[in-house]
Amino acid sequence: VSGSLVPEHPTGSRLPDLGPRGEGWVVLQVALLLAVFGAAAWGPPWPSALRVIVRTAGIAGLTAGAALALAGSRTLGRALTPLPKPAADASLRDEGAYRLVRHPIYGGVMMMAFGGSLLGSPAALLPAALLILLFEGKRLREERWLSDRYPEYTAYRERVPRRFLPFLW
């Protein structure tokens, strides 16, 4: 039902708007990111036998995630917003990182959250996993708005099947 607070998604799931442009999704995202980095900073350390491995993987995750998020941000330019509903003057982007994945910034933030968890504490893995669930919901809500706004979004979605991480997911 167009314009309702809880739109019907093509999969049959119902996702809330959480505000006129999805502000609530951003509030939840910020809360989970704070939980990830808080748990990483103050949670129990990784066992000493694993520290070199998890720290190396953490640095790789932070670096790759930052590169992916930056690439997506640069492609969006002035249209960049944390809100899932596109701005009135925005256009659909399908170049740069958006040729490889539909949501490179979300993928990059997820990688950075897991990288931070690996650098800090295993306690941070739970909020990082919850962040993935949140981004999946936010993606579904955003894609509904994108489909409503841009008729060509369906073709783009078929052309770019990966949601978050190039060549993987």
Side-chain angles (χ1 to χ4, degrees):
V1 176
S2 181
S4 71
L5 289 177
V6 184
E8 188 70 28
H9 188 269
T11 63
S13 66
R14 297 176 67 78
L15 296 166
D17 290 354
L18 300 181
R21 291 199 52 216
E23 296 86 354
W25 289 101
V26 177
V27 170
L28 294 170
Q29 177 182 324
V30 169
L32 282 173
L33 285 168
L34 289 172
V36 167
F37 291 105
W42 294 295
W46 286 92
S48 58
L50 297 176
R51 282 193 193 134
V52 171
I53 294 168
V54 295
R55 285 189 177 155
T56 302
I59 290 168
L62 279 172
T63 304
L68 184 58
L70 180 61
S73 299
R74 290 186 68 176
T75 300
L76 288 179
R78 291 179 173 232
L80 177 64
T81 175
L83 301 170
K85 189 170 188 177
D89 60 346
S91 61
L92 182 63
R93 304 295 170 91
D94 62 356
E95 65 271 356
Y98 290 88
R99 286 179 300 157
L100 301 173
V101 291
R102 297 191 310 266
H103 302 279
I105 298 171
Y106 295 172
V109 172
M110 283 188 259
M111 289 176 68
M112 289 188 290
F114 274 96
S117 299
L118 295 174
L119 283 172
S121 170
L125 290 173
L126 177 60
L130 293 174
L131 185 66
I132 287 176
L133 295 175
L134 177 83
F135 275 132
E136 181 63 17
K138 186 178 177 187
R139 173 196 71 83
L140 289 169
R141 178 59 257 177
E142 181 173 347
E143 288 189 350
R144 176 63 184 251
W145 273 322
L146 290 167
S147 294
D148 290 347
R149 173 95 182 271
Y150 306 108
E152 64 273 24
Y153 190 78
T154 301
Y156 167 70
R157 202 179 149 158
E158 290 172 7
R159 209 171 49 252
V160 181
R162 304 287 184 224
R163 293 174 286 191
F164 300 115
L165 301 177
F167 314 111
L168 298 173
W169 174 40

Short mmCIF file of all heavy atoms in Angstrom, two decimals, residues 62-106:
data_model
loop_
_atom_site.label_atom_id
_atom_site.label_comp_id
_atom_site.label_asym_id
_atom_site.label_seq_id
_atom_site.Cartn_x
_atom_site.Cartn_y
_atom_site.Cartn_z
N LEU A 62 39.10 -3.29 8.52
CA LEU A 62 38.95 -1.83 8.62
C LEU A 62 39.40 -1.13 7.34
O LEU A 62 38.72 -0.23 6.83
CB LEU A 62 39.77 -1.30 9.81
CG LEU A 62 39.13 -1.42 11.18
CD1 LEU A 62 40.13 -1.04 12.27
CD2 LEU A 62 37.90 -0.54 11.28
N THR A 63 40.52 -1.56 6.80
CA THR A 63 41.07 -0.93 5.61
C THR A 63 40.17 -1.16 4.39
O THR A 63 39.82 -0.21 3.67
CB THR A 63 42.49 -1.45 5.33
OG1 THR A 63 43.30 -1.23 6.49
CG2 THR A 63 43.11 -0.78 4.12
N ALA A 64 39.79 -2.42 4.16
CA ALA A 64 38.94 -2.74 3.01
C ALA A 64 37.57 -2.08 3.16
O ALA A 64 37.00 -1.56 2.20
CB ALA A 64 38.80 -4.25 2.86
N GLY A 65 37.03 -2.10 4.37
CA GLY A 65 35.73 -1.49 4.61
C GLY A 65 35.76 0.01 4.38
O GLY A 65 34.85 0.59 3.77
N ALA A 66 36.81 0.67 4.86
CA ALA A 66 36.93 2.11 4.66
C ALA A 66 37.06 2.43 3.17
O ALA A 66 36.45 3.39 2.68
CB ALA A 66 38.14 2.66 5.43
N ALA A 67 37.82 1.62 2.43
CA ALA A 67 37.98 1.85 0.99
C ALA A 67 36.64 1.69 0.26
O ALA A 67 36.30 2.51 -0.61
CB ALA A 67 39.02 0.88 0.42
N LEU A 68 35.88 0.67 0.61
CA LEU A 68 34.59 0.43 -0.04
C LEU A 68 33.60 1.55 0.30
O LEU A 68 32.92 2.08 -0.59
CB LEU A 68 34.03 -0.93 0.38
CG LEU A 68 32.73 -1.38 -0.27
CD1 LEU A 68 32.85 -1.42 -1.79
CD2 LEU A 68 32.32 -2.74 0.28
N ALA A 69 33.52 1.92 1.56
CA ALA A 69 32.61 3.00 1.96
C ALA A 69 33.01 4.33 1.32
O ALA A 69 32.15 5.09 0.86
CB ALA A 69 32.58 3.13 3.48
N LEU A 70 34.29 4.61 1.26
CA LEU A 70 34.77 5.84 0.63
C LEU A 70 34.46 5.85 -0.86
O LEU A 70 34.01 6.87 -1.40
CB LEU A 70 36.27 6.01 0.86
CG LEU A 70 36.89 7.27 0.26
CD1 LEU A 70 36.26 8.53 0.86
CD2 LEU A 70 38.39 7.27 0.49
N ALA A 71 34.64 4.72 -1.52
CA ALA A 71 34.33 4.63 -2.95
C ALA A 71 32.85 4.89 -3.20
O ALA A 71 32.48 5.63 -4.12
CB ALA A 71 34.73 3.26 -3.50
N GLY A 72 31.98 4.32 -2.36
CA GLY A 72 30.56 4.58 -2.50
C GLY A 72 30.21 6.02 -2.22
O GLY A 72 29.41 6.64 -2.94
N SER A 73 30.83 6.60 -1.20
CA SER A 73 30.57 7.99 -0.83
C SER A 73 30.99 8.94 -1.95
O SER A 73 30.29 9.89 -2.27
CB SER A 73 31.32 8.36 0.45
OG SER A 73 30.88 7.56 1.51
N ARG A 74 32.14 8.68 -2.54
CA ARG A 74 32.63 9.54 -3.62
C ARG A 74 31.71 9.48 -4.82
O ARG A 74 31.49 10.49 -5.48
CB ARG A 74 34.05 9.14 -4.00
CG ARG A 74 35.05 9.49 -2.90
CD ARG A 74 36.43 9.24 -3.33
NE ARG A 74 36.74 10.22 -4.39
CZ ARG A 74 37.91 10.35 -4.95
NH1 ARG A 74 38.89 9.57 -4.59
NH2 ARG A 74 38.12 11.24 -5.88
N THR A 75 31.18 8.31 -5.12
CA THR A 75 30.27 8.18 -6.25
C THR A 75 28.98 8.96 -6.01
O THR A 75 28.46 9.60 -6.92
CB THR A 75 29.95 6.70 -6.54
OG1 THR A 75 31.17 6.01 -6.83
CG2 THR A 75 28.99 6.54 -7.69
N LEU A 76 28.49 8.94 -4.79
CA LEU A 76 27.25 9.67 -4.49
C LEU A 76 27.46 11.18 -4.45
O LEU A 76 26.55 11.94 -4.76
CB LEU A 76 26.67 9.20 -3.16
CG LEU A 76 26.05 7.81 -3.15
CD1 LEU A 76 25.53 7.48 -1.77
CD2 LEU A 76 24.94 7.70 -4.18
N GLY A 77 28.64 11.61 -4.03
CA GLY A 77 28.92 13.04 -3.96
C GLY A 77 27.92 13.77 -3.08
O GLY A 77 27.66 13.36 -1.95
N ARG A 78 27.33 14.83 -3.61
CA ARG A 78 26.39 15.65 -2.82
C ARG A 78 25.09 14.93 -2.50
O ARG A 78 24.33 15.39 -1.66
CB ARG A 78 26.09 16.95 -3.55
CG ARG A 78 27.27 17.87 -3.59
CD ARG A 78 26.94 19.13 -4.34
NE ARG A 78 28.06 20.04 -4.21
CZ ARG A 78 27.93 21.28 -3.81
NH1 ARG A 78 26.75 21.78 -3.54
NH2 ARG A 78 28.99 22.05 -3.70
N ALA A 79 24.81 13.84 -3.19
CA ALA A 79 23.59 13.08 -2.92
C ALA A 79 23.74 12.16 -1.70
O ALA A 79 22.78 11.53 -1.29
CB ALA A 79 23.20 12.25 -4.14
N LEU A 80 24.94 12.10 -1.12
CA LEU A 80 25.20 11.24 0.03
C LEU A 80 24.34 11.65 1.22
O LEU A 80 24.30 12.82 1.60
CB LEU A 80 26.68 11.31 0.42
CG LEU A 80 27.09 10.52 1.66
CD1 LEU A 80 26.89 9.02 1.41
CD2 LEU A 80 28.54 10.80 2.00
N THR A 81 23.66 10.68 1.79
CA THR A 81 22.86 10.88 2.99
C THR A 81 22.81 9.57 3.75
O THR A 81 22.81 8.51 3.13
CB THR A 81 21.43 11.36 2.66
OG1 THR A 81 20.67 11.42 3.87
CG2 THR A 81 20.73 10.43 1.68
N PRO A 82 22.77 9.60 5.07
CA PRO A 82 22.63 8.34 5.82
C PRO A 82 21.19 7.82 5.77
O PRO A 82 20.94 6.69 6.14
CB PRO A 82 23.02 8.73 7.24
CG PRO A 82 22.69 10.19 7.33
CD PRO A 82 22.96 10.75 5.96
N LEU A 83 20.27 8.66 5.31
CA LEU A 83 18.86 8.29 5.29
C LEU A 83 18.57 7.35 4.12
O LEU A 83 19.09 7.53 3.03
CB LEU A 83 17.99 9.54 5.18
CG LEU A 83 18.18 10.55 6.31
CD1 LEU A 83 17.47 11.84 6.00
CD2 LEU A 83 17.69 9.96 7.62
N PRO A 84 17.71 6.36 4.34
CA PRO A 84 17.44 5.41 3.27
C PRO A 84 16.55 5.94 2.14
O PRO A 84 16.60 5.42 1.03
CB PRO A 84 16.77 4.23 3.98
CG PRO A 84 16.25 4.77 5.25
CD PRO A 84 17.14 5.93 5.62
N LYS A 85 15.77 6.96 2.39
CA LYS A 85 14.93 7.52 1.32
C LYS A 85 15.76 8.52 0.53
O LYS A 85 16.35 9.43 1.10
CB LYS A 85 13.69 8.19 1.89
CG LYS A 85 12.69 8.59 0.82
CD LYS A 85 11.38 9.03 1.42
CE LYS A 85 10.34 9.24 0.33
NZ LYS A 85 9.05 9.60 0.92
N PRO A 86 15.81 8.37 -0.80
CA PRO A 86 16.64 9.29 -1.59
C PRO A 86 16.14 10.73 -1.49
O PRO A 86 14.94 10.98 -1.39
CB PRO A 86 16.52 8.75 -3.01
CG PRO A 86 15.32 7.88 -3.03
CD PRO A 86 15.11 7.40 -1.63
N ALA A 87 17.08 11.65 -1.53
CA ALA A 87 16.75 13.07 -1.51
C ALA A 87 15.99 13.43 -2.79
O ALA A 87 16.14 12.78 -3.83
CB ALA A 87 18.02 13.91 -1.39
N ALA A 88 15.20 14.48 -2.72
CA ALA A 88 14.36 14.89 -3.85
C ALA A 88 15.17 15.20 -5.10
O ALA A 88 14.73 14.93 -6.21
CB ALA A 88 13.52 16.09 -3.45
N ASP A 89 16.37 15.75 -4.92
CA ASP A 89 17.18 16.13 -6.08
C ASP A 89 18.23 15.08 -6.46
O ASP A 89 19.10 15.33 -7.29
CB ASP A 89 17.86 17.48 -5.83
CG ASP A 89 18.78 17.45 -4.62
OD1 ASP A 89 18.71 16.49 -3.81
OD2 ASP A 89 19.57 18.39 -4.46
N ALA A 90 18.16 13.89 -5.86
CA ALA A 90 19.15 12.83 -6.12
C ALA A 90 18.80 12.10 -7.42
O ALA A 90 17.66 12.10 -7.87
CB ALA A 90 19.19 11.85 -4.97
N SER A 91 19.81 11.46 -8.00
CA SER A 91 19.60 10.61 -9.17
C SER A 91 20.16 9.22 -8.86
O SER A 91 21.01 9.07 -7.99
CB SER A 91 20.28 11.21 -10.40
OG SER A 91 21.67 11.31 -10.18
N LEU A 92 19.67 8.24 -9.58
CA LEU A 92 20.15 6.88 -9.39
C LEU A 92 21.58 6.77 -9.91
O LEU A 92 21.88 7.21 -11.02
CB LEU A 92 19.24 5.90 -10.14
CG LEU A 92 19.59 4.42 -10.00
CD1 LEU A 92 19.45 3.97 -8.56
CD2 LEU A 92 18.68 3.59 -10.90
N ARG A 93 22.46 6.22 -9.10
CA ARG A 93 23.87 6.07 -9.48
C ARG A 93 24.14 4.59 -9.76
O ARG A 93 23.79 3.73 -8.97
CB ARG A 93 24.80 6.54 -8.36
CG ARG A 93 24.56 7.97 -7.91
CD ARG A 93 24.88 8.97 -9.02
NE ARG A 93 24.45 10.29 -8.69
CZ ARG A 93 25.18 11.20 -8.10
NH1 ARG A 93 26.41 10.93 -7.75
NH2 ARG A 93 24.68 12.39 -7.85
N ASP A 94 24.81 4.34 -10.87
CA ASP A 94 25.18 2.96 -11.20
C ASP A 94 26.62 2.87 -11.70
O ASP A 94 27.01 1.93 -12.35
CB ASP A 94 24.21 2.37 -12.23
CG ASP A 94 24.21 3.11 -13.56
OD1 ASP A 94 24.91 4.14 -13.68
OD2 ASP A 94 23.51 2.65 -14.47
N GLU A 95 27.42 3.88 -11.34
CA GLU A 95 28.83 3.87 -11.72
C GLU A 95 29.69 3.71 -10.46
O GLU A 95 29.19 3.65 -9.36
CB GLU A 95 29.19 5.14 -12.49
CG GLU A 95 29.09 6.42 -11.70
CD GLU A 95 27.71 7.09 -11.74
OE1 GLU A 95 26.81 6.63 -12.43
OE2 GLU A 95 27.55 8.08 -11.01
N GLY A 96 31.01 3.65 -10.67
CA GLY A 96 31.93 3.50 -9.54
C GLY A 96 31.65 2.21 -8.77
O GLY A 96 31.40 1.16 -9.37
N ALA A 97 31.68 2.30 -7.46
CA ALA A 97 31.43 1.12 -6.62
C ALA A 97 30.05 0.54 -6.84
O ALA A 97 29.82 -0.65 -6.62
CB ALA A 97 31.62 1.50 -5.15
N TYR A 98 29.13 1.37 -7.32
CA TYR A 98 27.75 0.92 -7.54
C TYR A 98 27.62 0.04 -8.78
O TYR A 98 26.56 -0.52 -9.02
CB TYR A 98 26.81 2.14 -7.61
CG TYR A 98 26.67 2.78 -6.26
CD1 TYR A 98 27.57 3.75 -5.84
CD2 TYR A 98 25.69 2.37 -5.37
CE1 TYR A 98 27.48 4.32 -4.58
CE2 TYR A 98 25.59 2.93 -4.11
CZ TYR A 98 26.49 3.90 -3.72
OH TYR A 98 26.40 4.44 -2.46
N ARG A 99 28.68 -0.13 -9.55
CA ARG A 99 28.68 -1.12 -10.63
C ARG A 99 28.89 -2.52 -10.07
O ARG A 99 28.55 -3.51 -10.70
CB ARG A 99 29.80 -0.84 -11.63
CG ARG A 99 29.53 0.35 -12.52
CD ARG A 99 30.68 0.58 -13.46
NE ARG A 99 31.87 0.83 -12.64
CZ ARG A 99 33.12 0.66 -13.03
NH1 ARG A 99 33.37 0.24 -14.23
NH2 ARG A 99 34.12 0.93 -12.22
N LEU A 100 29.47 -2.60 -8.86
CA LEU A 100 29.80 -3.89 -8.26
C LEU A 100 28.79 -4.33 -7.21
O LEU A 100 28.51 -5.53 -7.08
CB LEU A 100 31.19 -3.83 -7.61
CG LEU A 100 32.34 -3.46 -8.54
CD1 LEU A 100 33.60 -3.25 -7.74
CD2 LEU A 100 32.52 -4.54 -9.59
N VAL A 101 28.30 -3.40 -6.42
CA VAL A 101 27.33 -3.70 -5.36
C VAL A 101 26.34 -2.56 -5.24
O VAL A 101 26.65 -1.41 -5.54
CB VAL A 101 28.00 -3.93 -3.97
CG1 VAL A 101 28.80 -5.21 -3.94
CG2 VAL A 101 28.85 -2.77 -3.56
N ARG A 102 25.14 -2.90 -4.78
CA ARG A 102 24.09 -1.88 -4.69
C ARG A 102 24.24 -1.00 -3.45
O ARG A 102 23.75 0.12 -3.43
CB ARG A 102 22.72 -2.58 -4.68
CG ARG A 102 22.45 -3.33 -5.96
CD ARG A 102 21.02 -3.79 -6.11
NE ARG A 102 20.46 -4.49 -5.00
CZ ARG A 102 20.42 -5.82 -4.85
NH1 ARG A 102 20.96 -6.60 -5.78
NH2 ARG A 102 19.85 -6.37 -3.81
N HIS A 103 24.89 -1.50 -2.41
CA HIS A 103 25.03 -0.73 -1.16
C HIS A 103 26.47 -0.81 -0.64
O HIS A 103 26.73 -1.38 0.41
CB HIS A 103 24.04 -1.26 -0.12
CG HIS A 103 22.63 -1.21 -0.57
ND1 HIS A 103 21.87 -0.06 -0.51
CD2 HIS A 103 21.84 -2.15 -1.13
CE1 HIS A 103 20.67 -0.30 -1.00
NE2 HIS A 103 20.63 -1.56 -1.39
N PRO A 104 27.41 -0.19 -1.37
CA PRO A 104 28.82 -0.29 -0.94
C PRO A 104 29.10 0.38 0.40
O PRO A 104 29.96 -0.09 1.14
CB PRO A 104 29.59 0.39 -2.09
CG PRO A 104 28.59 1.29 -2.73
CD PRO A 104 27.27 0.60 -2.59
N ILE A 105 28.39 1.43 0.72
CA ILE A 105 28.66 2.09 2.00
C ILE A 105 28.23 1.19 3.15
O ILE A 105 28.97 1.03 4.13
CB ILE A 105 27.97 3.47 2.06
CG1 ILE A 105 28.54 4.37 0.95
CG2 ILE A 105 28.16 4.11 3.43
CD1 ILE A 105 27.80 5.68 0.76
N TYR A 106 27.07 0.56 3.04
CA TYR A 106 26.64 -0.37 4.09
C TYR A 106 27.64 -1.52 4.22
O TYR A 106 28.02 -1.91 5.33
CB TYR A 106 25.27 -0.96 3.78
CG TYR A 106 24.11 0.00 3.75
CD1 TYR A 106 22.87 -0.42 3.32
CD2 TYR A 106 24.23 1.34 4.14
CE1 TYR A 106 21.78 0.44 3.29
CE2 TYR A 106 23.16 2.20 4.11
CZ TYR A 106 21.92 1.74 3.68
OH TYR A 106 20.85 2.58 3.65
#
